[in-house]
Amino acid sequence: MNIVLTDAARRQLLASSPAEGHVPRIDAEMSGGCGVSVRFSLVWEEPRRGDTIVPLGDDLFLHLDRFTERYLEEQTLVDYSETDGFIFGDRFDSSCTT
């Protein structure tokens, strides 16, 4: 699994001040009836047993549970904007860092 942060997402994660003992986690939420869709969000929570920990450099890492890991693309781009917060996708562009 390869998770890539844009510069904006990296800056936002580094600037975050989570509660003590909380870690950044990508969570998947399923919605819909006949056409199920999966929506991802970045939250700060306590680590869970069995988490996959994805290192991102600069002392950054993300936690994933098994459910979320199943629905992420093999290569996932994480971006950030002031209006939309963290945005998850699978396309890469020149503003990405690894």
Side-chain angles (χ1 to χ4, degrees):
M1 167 152 322
N2 184 24
I3 297 177
V4 176
L5 301 177
T6 63
D7 291 336
R10 183 173 297 280
R11 281 191 303 273
Q12 185 63 27
L13 270 175
L14 288 169
S16 297
S17 301
E20 187 174 328
H22 286 201
V23 296
R25 164 184 305 290
I26 297 176
D27 267 350
E29 179 181 310
M30 297 186 84
S31 62
C34 294
V36 173
S37 66
V38 180
R39 181 178 174 165
F40 298 101
S41 59
L42 194 136
V43 297
W44 292 87
E45 295 181 341
E46 292 182 357
R48 298 178 191 160
R49 183 184 312 184
D51 277 351
T52 297
I53 300 172
V54 180
L56 302 170
D58 296 328
D59 292 329
L60 286 176
F61 54 90
L62 290 173
H63 283 236
L64 307 169
D65 59 29
R66 291 176 197 236
F67 177 79
T68 300
E69 196 171 359
R70 286 188 298 180
Y71 291 100
L72 283 174
E73 298 291 329
E74 184 62 32
Q75 296 186 32
T76 301
L77 174 68
V78 181
D79 195 6
Y80 180 83
S81 77
E82 291 292 326
T83 55
D84 298 319
F86 288 97
I87 305 160
F88 298 84
D90 59 357
R91 294 190 319 253
F92 291 82
D93 64 30
S94 59
S95 67
C96 298
T97 59
T98 55

